[in-house]
PDB file of all heavy atoms in Angstrom:
ATOM      1  N   THR A  36       4.231   3.382   0.715  1.00 98.00           N
ATOM      2  CA  THR A  36       5.244   4.246   0.111  1.00 98.00           C
ATOM      3  C   THR A  36       5.851   3.519  -1.088  1.00 98.00           C
ATOM      4  O   THR A  36       5.396   2.448  -1.454  1.00 98.00           O
ATOM      5  CB  THR A  36       6.343   4.578   1.135  1.00 98.00           C
ATOM      6  OG1 THR A  36       6.798   3.345   1.689  1.00 98.00           O
ATOM      7  CG2 THR A  36       5.826   5.484   2.230  1.00 98.00           C
ATOM      8  N   GLY A  37       6.890   4.097  -1.688  1.00 95.00           N
ATOM      9  CA  GLY A  37       7.513   3.490  -2.861  1.00 95.00           C
ATOM     10  C   GLY A  37       7.189   4.294  -4.101  1.00 95.00           C
ATOM     11  O   GLY A  37       6.483   5.314  -4.027  1.00 95.00           O
ATOM     12  N   GLY A  38       7.687   3.839  -5.231  1.00 95.00           N
ATOM     13  CA  GLY A  38       7.502   4.578  -6.479  1.00 95.00           C
ATOM     14  C   GLY A  38       6.059   4.542  -6.975  1.00 95.00           C
ATOM     15  O   GLY A  38       5.534   5.544  -7.470  1.00 95.00           O
ATOM     16  N   THR A  39       5.393   3.392  -6.815  1.00 97.00           N
ATOM     17  CA  THR A  39       4.063   3.224  -7.414  1.00 97.00           C
ATOM     18  C   THR A  39       3.000   4.149  -6.814  1.00 97.00           C
ATOM     19  O   THR A  39       2.215   4.735  -7.569  1.00 97.00           O
ATOM     20  CB  THR A  39       3.613   1.751  -7.321  1.00 97.00           C
ATOM     21  OG1 THR A  39       4.730   0.908  -7.625  1.00 97.00           O
ATOM     22  CG2 THR A  39       2.489   1.455  -8.296  1.00 97.00           C
ATOM     23  N   PRO A  40       2.933   4.325  -5.494  1.00 98.00           N
ATOM     24  CA  PRO A  40       1.850   5.164  -4.950  1.00 98.00           C
ATOM     25  C   PRO A  40       1.994   6.657  -5.235  1.00 98.00           C
ATOM     26  O   PRO A  40       1.022   7.393  -5.074  1.00 98.00           O
ATOM     27  CB  PRO A  40       1.916   4.920  -3.432  1.00 98.00           C
ATOM     28  CG  PRO A  40       2.811   3.759  -3.226  1.00 98.00           C
ATOM     29  CD  PRO A  40       3.709   3.697  -4.404  1.00 98.00           C
ATOM     30  N   GLY A 132       1.530  -1.785  -2.434  1.00 98.00           N
ATOM     31  CA  GLY A 132       2.308  -2.041  -3.633  1.00 98.00           C
ATOM     32  C   GLY A 132       2.740  -3.500  -3.556  1.00 98.00           C
ATOM     33  O   GLY A 132       2.300  -4.248  -2.679  1.00 98.00           O
ATOM     34  N   ILE A 133       3.594  -3.913  -4.467  1.00 98.00           N
ATOM     35  CA  ILE A 133       4.125  -5.279  -4.417  1.00 98.00           C
ATOM     36  C   ILE A 133       5.595  -5.229  -4.818  1.00 98.00           C
ATOM     37  O   ILE A 133       5.972  -4.474  -5.722  1.00 98.00           O
ATOM     38  CB  ILE A 133       3.308  -6.223  -5.338  1.00 98.00           C
ATOM     39  CG1 ILE A 133       3.758  -7.688  -5.209  1.00 98.00           C
ATOM     40  CG2 ILE A 133       3.358  -5.776  -6.793  1.00 98.00           C
ATOM     41  CD1 ILE A 133       2.832  -8.690  -5.930  1.00 98.00           C
ATOM     42  N   GLY A 134       6.425  -5.990  -4.134  1.00 95.00           N
ATOM     43  CA  GLY A 134       7.835  -6.046  -4.503  1.00 95.00           C
ATOM     44  C   GLY A 134       8.030  -6.988  -5.682  1.00 95.00           C
ATOM     45  O   GLY A 134       7.179  -7.828  -5.962  1.00 95.00           O
ATOM     46  N   HIS A 138       6.825  -9.426  -2.222  1.00 97.00           N
ATOM     47  CA  HIS A 138       6.563  -8.966  -0.854  1.00 97.00           C
ATOM     48  C   HIS A 138       5.427  -7.941  -0.829  1.00 97.00           C
ATOM     49  O   HIS A 138       5.183  -7.249  -1.827  1.00 97.00           O
ATOM     50  CB  HIS A 138       7.837  -8.427  -0.170  1.00 97.00           C
ATOM     51  CG  HIS A 138       8.350  -7.124  -0.678  1.00 97.00           C
ATOM     52  ND1 HIS A 138       9.693  -6.859  -0.844  1.00 97.00           N
ATOM     53  CD2 HIS A 138       7.717  -5.986  -1.049  1.00 97.00           C
ATOM     54  CE1 HIS A 138       9.839  -5.627  -1.292  1.00 97.00           C
ATOM     55  NE2 HIS A 138       8.661  -5.076  -1.415  1.00 97.00           N
ATOM     56  N   ARG A 167      17.595   3.167  -5.306  1.00 95.00           N
ATOM     57  CA  ARG A 167      17.409   4.371  -6.129  1.00 95.00           C
ATOM     58  C   ARG A 167      16.957   5.573  -5.312  1.00 95.00           C
ATOM     59  O   ARG A 167      17.094   6.715  -5.748  1.00 95.00           O
ATOM     60  CB  ARG A 167      16.425   4.095  -7.271  1.00 95.00           C
ATOM     61  CG  ARG A 167      14.986   3.834  -6.842  1.00 95.00           C
ATOM     62  CD  ARG A 167      14.173   3.291  -8.039  1.00 95.00           C
ATOM     63  NE  ARG A 167      12.743   3.309  -7.839  1.00 95.00           N
ATOM     64  CZ  ARG A 167      12.062   2.370  -7.174  1.00 95.00           C
ATOM     65  NH1 ARG A 167      12.714   1.357  -6.616  1.00 95.00           N
ATOM     66  NH2 ARG A 167      10.757   2.446  -7.068  1.00 95.00           N
ATOM     67  N   PHE A 168      16.395   5.334  -4.131  1.00 94.00           N
ATOM     68  CA  PHE A 168      15.958   6.449  -3.288  1.00 94.00           C
ATOM     69  C   PHE A 168      17.099   6.980  -2.401  1.00 94.00           C
ATOM     70  O   PHE A 168      16.948   8.001  -1.743  1.00 94.00           O
ATOM     71  CB  PHE A 168      14.794   6.015  -2.394  1.00 94.00           C
ATOM     72  CG  PHE A 168      13.559   5.604  -3.175  1.00 94.00           C
ATOM     73  CD1 PHE A 168      13.137   4.283  -3.214  1.00 94.00           C
ATOM     74  CD2 PHE A 168      12.824   6.540  -3.888  1.00 94.00           C
ATOM     75  CE1 PHE A 168      12.002   3.901  -3.933  1.00 94.00           C
ATOM     76  CE2 PHE A 168      11.694   6.187  -4.618  1.00 94.00           C
ATOM     77  CZ  PHE A 168      11.284   4.860  -4.639  1.00 94.00           C
ATOM     78  N   LYS A 202       7.085  -6.113 -12.410  1.00 98.00           N
ATOM     79  CA  LYS A 202       6.135  -6.667 -11.438  1.00 98.00           C
ATOM     80  C   LYS A 202       5.309  -7.815 -12.026  1.00 98.00           C
ATOM     81  O   LYS A 202       4.495  -8.413 -11.325  1.00 98.00           O
ATOM     82  CB  LYS A 202       5.183  -5.554 -10.946  1.00 98.00           C
ATOM     83  CG  LYS A 202       5.874  -4.360 -10.313  1.00 98.00           C
ATOM     84  CD  LYS A 202       6.523  -4.728  -8.997  1.00 98.00           C
ATOM     85  CE  LYS A 202       7.365  -3.619  -8.401  1.00 98.00           C
ATOM     86  NZ  LYS A 202       6.617  -2.472  -7.937  1.00 98.00           N
TER      87      LYS A 202
HETATM   88  P1  PGA B 301       7.617   0.336  -5.645  1.00 94.86           P
HETATM   89  O1  PGA B 301       7.671  -0.637  -4.369  1.00 94.86           O
HETATM   90  O2  PGA B 301       6.246   0.934  -5.661  1.00 94.86           O
HETATM   91  O3  PGA B 301       8.707   1.330  -5.378  1.00 94.86           O
HETATM   92  O4  PGA B 301       7.878  -0.521  -6.828  1.00 94.86           O
HETATM   93  C1  PGA B 301       6.641  -1.531  -4.133  1.00 94.86           C
HETATM   94  C2  PGA B 301       6.961  -2.379  -2.910  1.00 94.86           C
HETATM   95  O5  PGA B 301       8.126  -2.734  -2.706  1.00 94.86           O
HETATM   96  O6  PGA B 301       6.022  -2.693  -2.171  1.00 94.86           O
END
Side-chain angles (χ1 to χ4, degrees):
T36 52
T39 318
I133 185 171
H138 71 220
R167 67 192 194 278
F168 297 111
K202 302 292 173 68

